[in-house]
Amino acid sequence: MRLAVIGAAGRIGSRIVKEALGRGHEVTMVVRNRSGLDGTADRLVEADVFDSAAVKAAVAGADVVVNAAGHAAKLDDAGFYARAARSVVSALRAFDDPPRLIVVGGFGSVRDGAGGQYADRPNLPANAAPEIVGQREALTYYRTLDDLHWTYVSPPPGGIAPGQRSGKYQLAVDTIGDREAASTLISMEDYAIAVLDEAERAEHPHACVVVMR
Protein backbone atom coordinates (compact mmCIF):
# COMPACT_ATOMS: atom_id res chain seq x y z
CA MET A 1 0.00 0.00 0.00
CA ARG A 2 1.16 3.55 -0.70
CA LEU A 3 0.75 5.98 2.20
CA ALA A 4 1.41 9.70 2.39
CA VAL A 5 1.79 11.08 5.92
CA ILE A 6 1.27 14.83 6.32
CA GLY A 7 3.10 16.06 9.39
CA ALA A 8 5.48 13.12 9.17
CA ALA A 9 8.19 14.83 11.22
CA GLY A 10 5.97 15.22 14.28
CA ARG A 11 5.97 12.98 17.33
CA ILE A 12 2.92 11.01 16.21
CA GLY A 13 3.48 11.33 12.47
CA SER A 14 7.03 9.96 12.72
CA ARG A 15 5.77 6.91 14.61
CA ILE A 16 3.10 6.30 11.97
CA VAL A 17 5.84 6.44 9.32
CA LYS A 18 7.94 3.93 11.27
CA GLU A 19 5.00 1.58 11.75
CA ALA A 20 4.07 1.76 8.07
CA LEU A 21 7.62 1.09 6.91
CA GLY A 22 7.88 -1.82 9.33
CA ARG A 23 4.86 -3.38 7.63
CA GLY A 24 6.43 -3.03 4.20
CA HIS A 25 4.30 -0.17 2.88
CA GLU A 26 5.56 2.54 0.54
CA VAL A 27 5.62 5.83 2.45
CA THR A 28 5.83 9.47 1.43
CA MET A 29 6.77 11.81 4.28
CA VAL A 30 5.13 15.23 3.79
CA VAL A 31 6.78 17.86 5.98
CA ARG A 32 6.79 21.61 6.39
CA ASN A 33 10.59 21.79 6.40
CA ARG A 34 12.84 18.93 5.35
CA SER A 35 16.08 20.37 6.72
CA GLY A 36 17.66 18.04 9.24
CA LEU A 37 15.51 15.06 8.21
CA ASP A 38 16.91 11.90 6.70
CA GLY A 39 15.43 9.88 3.91
CA THR A 40 14.04 6.99 5.95
CA ALA A 41 10.85 6.93 3.88
CA ASP A 42 10.55 6.20 0.18
CA ARG A 43 9.93 9.89 -0.52
CA LEU A 44 10.42 13.09 1.46
CA VAL A 45 8.43 16.08 0.21
CA GLU A 46 7.97 19.62 1.49
CA ALA A 47 4.42 21.03 1.55
CA ASP A 48 2.53 23.44 3.78
CA VAL A 49 -0.71 21.88 4.94
CA PHE A 50 -2.53 25.13 4.17
CA ASP A 51 -1.39 25.07 0.50
CA SER A 52 -3.84 22.64 -1.07
CA ALA A 53 -2.07 22.62 -4.44
CA ALA A 54 1.21 21.67 -2.77
CA VAL A 55 -0.55 19.00 -0.72
CA LYS A 56 -2.12 17.54 -3.85
CA ALA A 57 1.27 17.30 -5.55
CA ALA A 58 2.86 15.77 -2.44
CA VAL A 59 0.28 12.99 -1.97
CA ALA A 60 -0.27 12.11 -5.64
CA GLY A 61 -0.34 8.36 -6.11
CA ALA A 62 -1.15 7.52 -2.49
CA ASP A 63 -3.80 4.96 -1.62
CA VAL A 64 -4.18 6.43 1.87
CA VAL A 65 -3.35 9.90 3.17
CA VAL A 66 -2.77 10.33 6.90
CA ASN A 67 -3.27 13.91 8.08
CA ALA A 68 -1.09 14.16 11.18
CA ALA A 69 -0.45 17.90 10.82
CA GLY A 70 -0.26 19.74 14.13
CA HIS A 71 0.99 22.99 15.56
CA ALA A 72 4.70 23.34 16.13
CA ALA A 73 4.42 25.26 19.41
CA LYS A 74 1.73 26.54 21.76
CA LEU A 75 -1.58 26.71 19.92
CA ASP A 76 -3.54 29.94 20.38
CA ASP A 77 -5.67 29.56 17.24
CA ALA A 78 -8.63 27.24 17.66
CA GLY A 79 -9.34 27.43 13.92
CA PHE A 80 -6.01 25.82 12.97
CA TYR A 81 -7.31 22.28 12.58
CA ALA A 82 -10.51 23.15 10.71
CA ARG A 83 -8.55 25.24 8.19
CA ALA A 84 -6.01 22.45 7.77
CA ALA A 85 -8.87 19.99 7.24
CA ARG A 86 -10.42 22.12 4.51
CA SER A 87 -7.08 22.47 2.74
CA VAL A 88 -6.37 18.74 2.76
CA VAL A 89 -9.91 17.90 1.65
CA SER A 90 -9.64 20.41 -1.19
CA ALA A 91 -6.42 18.69 -2.30
CA LEU A 92 -7.97 15.22 -2.23
CA ARG A 93 -11.11 16.32 -4.05
CA ALA A 94 -8.93 17.43 -6.96
CA PHE A 95 -8.17 13.78 -7.80
CA ASP A 96 -10.50 11.78 -10.05
CA ASP A 97 -10.16 8.87 -7.61
CA PRO A 98 -9.38 10.41 -4.20
CA PRO A 99 -7.29 8.40 -1.73
CA ARG A 100 -8.76 7.43 1.61
CA LEU A 101 -8.11 9.90 4.43
CA ILE A 102 -7.19 9.07 8.01
CA VAL A 103 -7.02 11.98 10.43
CA VAL A 104 -4.91 12.10 13.57
CA GLY A 105 -7.48 13.84 15.71
CA GLY A 106 -8.10 15.04 19.23
CA PHE A 107 -10.45 14.00 22.02
CA GLY A 108 -12.65 17.12 22.14
CA SER A 109 -15.59 15.31 20.55
CA VAL A 110 -15.20 12.14 22.61
CA ARG A 111 -18.08 11.47 24.98
CA ASP A 112 -17.84 10.30 28.56
CA GLY A 113 -20.18 7.83 30.22
CA ALA A 114 -22.77 10.56 30.80
CA GLY A 115 -22.78 11.48 27.11
CA GLY A 116 -21.00 14.82 27.43
CA GLN A 117 -18.22 15.85 25.10
CA TYR A 118 -14.87 16.74 26.61
CA ALA A 119 -14.72 20.02 24.68
CA ASP A 120 -17.84 21.17 26.56
CA ARG A 121 -16.41 20.61 30.01
CA PRO A 122 -16.13 23.72 32.16
CA ASN A 123 -12.78 25.17 33.12
CA LEU A 124 -10.74 23.63 30.32
CA PRO A 125 -7.06 24.48 30.85
CA ALA A 126 -6.28 27.68 28.99
CA ASN A 127 -3.24 26.15 27.32
CA ALA A 128 -5.20 23.11 26.09
CA ALA A 129 -8.60 24.60 25.21
CA PRO A 130 -7.73 25.77 21.66
CA GLU A 131 -6.48 22.26 20.81
CA ILE A 132 -9.43 20.45 22.38
CA VAL A 133 -12.08 22.74 20.89
CA GLY A 134 -10.26 23.16 17.58
CA GLN A 135 -9.98 19.44 16.96
CA ARG A 136 -13.70 19.06 17.57
CA GLU A 137 -14.40 21.82 15.03
CA ALA A 138 -12.33 19.94 12.49
CA LEU A 139 -14.29 16.74 13.09
CA THR A 140 -17.54 18.67 12.74
CA TYR A 141 -16.34 19.67 9.28
CA TYR A 142 -15.30 16.13 8.32
CA ARG A 143 -18.75 14.92 9.27
CA THR A 144 -20.26 17.08 6.53
CA LEU A 145 -18.33 15.12 3.87
CA ASP A 146 -19.94 12.29 1.95
CA ASP A 147 -17.72 12.32 -1.14
CA LEU A 148 -14.51 11.15 0.58
CA HIS A 149 -13.71 8.02 2.57
CA TRP A 150 -12.40 9.43 5.87
CA THR A 151 -11.78 8.12 9.37
CA TYR A 152 -10.98 10.29 12.38
CA VAL A 153 -8.70 8.53 14.88
CA SER A 154 -8.87 10.14 18.29
CA PRO A 155 -6.49 9.65 21.19
CA PRO A 156 -8.27 9.16 24.51
CA PRO A 157 -8.95 11.87 27.09
CA GLY A 158 -6.47 10.08 29.32
CA GLY A 159 -3.75 11.28 26.97
CA ILE A 160 -1.17 10.06 24.48
CA ALA A 161 2.55 9.99 25.14
CA PRO A 162 5.78 8.41 23.91
CA GLY A 163 6.09 4.90 25.26
CA GLN A 164 6.37 1.25 24.39
CA ARG A 165 4.95 -0.60 21.41
CA SER A 166 2.92 -3.24 23.23
CA GLY A 167 0.75 -4.13 20.25
CA LYS A 168 -2.35 -3.85 22.41
CA TYR A 169 -5.13 -1.29 22.22
CA GLN A 170 -8.89 -0.99 22.50
CA LEU A 171 -11.09 0.78 19.99
CA ALA A 172 -14.47 2.45 20.48
CA VAL A 173 -16.63 4.77 18.40
CA ASP A 174 -17.20 8.30 19.77
CA THR A 175 -16.99 7.44 23.48
CA ILE A 176 -14.86 5.90 26.22
CA GLY A 177 -18.02 4.69 27.92
CA ASP A 178 -17.87 4.38 31.69
CA ARG A 179 -14.10 4.11 31.89
CA GLU A 180 -12.14 6.58 33.97
CA ALA A 181 -10.26 8.93 31.67
CA ALA A 182 -6.95 8.31 33.45
CA SER A 183 -7.13 4.61 32.60
CA THR A 184 -7.22 5.22 28.86
CA LEU A 185 -3.70 6.64 28.33
CA ILE A 186 -2.21 5.22 25.11
CA SER A 187 1.36 5.22 23.88
CA MET A 188 2.10 6.94 20.58
CA GLU A 189 3.55 3.66 19.38
CA ASP A 190 0.32 1.73 19.99
CA TYR A 191 -1.73 4.59 18.56
CA ALA A 192 0.34 4.28 15.38
CA ILE A 193 -0.55 0.59 15.23
CA ALA A 194 -4.25 1.50 15.35
CA VAL A 195 -3.80 4.03 12.53
CA LEU A 196 -2.07 1.46 10.32
CA ASP A 197 -4.65 -1.19 11.13
CA GLU A 198 -7.35 1.21 9.94
CA ALA A 199 -5.31 2.08 6.85
CA GLU A 200 -5.07 -1.60 5.95
CA ARG A 201 -8.61 -2.66 6.88
CA ALA A 202 -10.78 0.42 6.18
CA GLU A 203 -13.26 -0.71 8.82
CA HIS A 204 -14.56 2.67 10.05
CA PRO A 205 -15.60 4.96 7.19
CA HIS A 206 -17.08 8.32 8.22
CA ALA A 207 -16.49 7.62 11.91
CA CYS A 208 -14.58 8.90 14.90
CA VAL A 209 -12.78 6.05 16.60
CA VAL A 210 -11.07 6.37 19.98
CA VAL A 211 -7.85 4.44 20.63
CA MET A 212 -7.43 3.46 24.28
CA ARG A 213 -5.13 1.33 26.37
Side-chain angles (χ1 to χ4, degrees):
M1 187 166 55
R2 293 168 297 179
L3 281 85
V5 181
I6 302 169
R11 294 198 303 166
I12 297 176
S14 61
R15 286 167 169 83
I16 292 170
V17 169
K18 181 178 180 180
E19 181 68 26
L21 290 172
R23 299 187 187 201
H25 298 304
E26 181 181 324
V27 180
T28 295
M29 293 176 65
V30 184
V31 299
R32 200 165 27 214
N33 185 345
R34 64 182 297 164
S35 63
L37 295 175
D38 61 30
T40 53
D42 299 276
R43 293 177 64 225
L44 179 60
V45 183
E46 278 190 359
D48 189 318
V49 71
F50 297 112
D51 183 341
S52 60
V55 171
K56 180 191 175 188
V59 306
D63 302 305
V64 177
V65 173
V66 178
N67 181 9
H71 58 93
K74 179 179 180 294
L75 181 68
D76 57 6
D77 174 11
F80 176 96
Y81 289 101
R83 292 199 311 277
R86 286 181 168 86
S87 178
V88 172
V89 167
S90 176
L92 300 191
R93 280 174 166 166
F95 292 108
D96 292 335
D97 183 17
R100 289 189 286 122
L101 174 63
I102 296 177
V103 181
V104 173
F107 63 80
S109 65
V110 173
R111 297 186 182 277
D112 58 22
Q117 291 186 326
Y118 279 86
D120 289 331
R121 291 197 164 195
N123 303 316
L124 291 175
N127 63 329
E131 176 101 17
I132 296 170
V133 174
Q135 288 277 23
R136 180 176 66 174
E137 288 178 358
L139 177 57
T140 298
Y141 167 68
Y142 287 119
R143 282 178 164 156
T144 69
L145 308 178
D146 56 12
D147 58 334
L148 293 177
H149 185 297
W150 60 268
T151 303
Y152 189 93
V153 183
S154 173
I160 183 169
Q164 299 297 315
R165 185 188 186 282
S166 74
K168 299 177 182 178
Y169 67 87
Q170 297 182 46
L171 210 62
V173 177
D174 287 327
T175 181
I176 64 168
D178 293 328
R179 288 189 59 176
E180 291 292 329
S183 73
T184 64
L185 173 71
I186 192 78
S187 73
M188 292 179 179
E189 289 75 8
D190 285 339
Y191 177 92
I193 293 174
V195 169
L196 263 295
D197 285 349
E198 181 61 32
E200 292 174 348
R201 301 169 186 170
E203 292 179 331
H204 300 92
H206 299 170
C208 170
V209 294
V210 189
V211 185
M212 300 177 285
R213 183 172 62 197

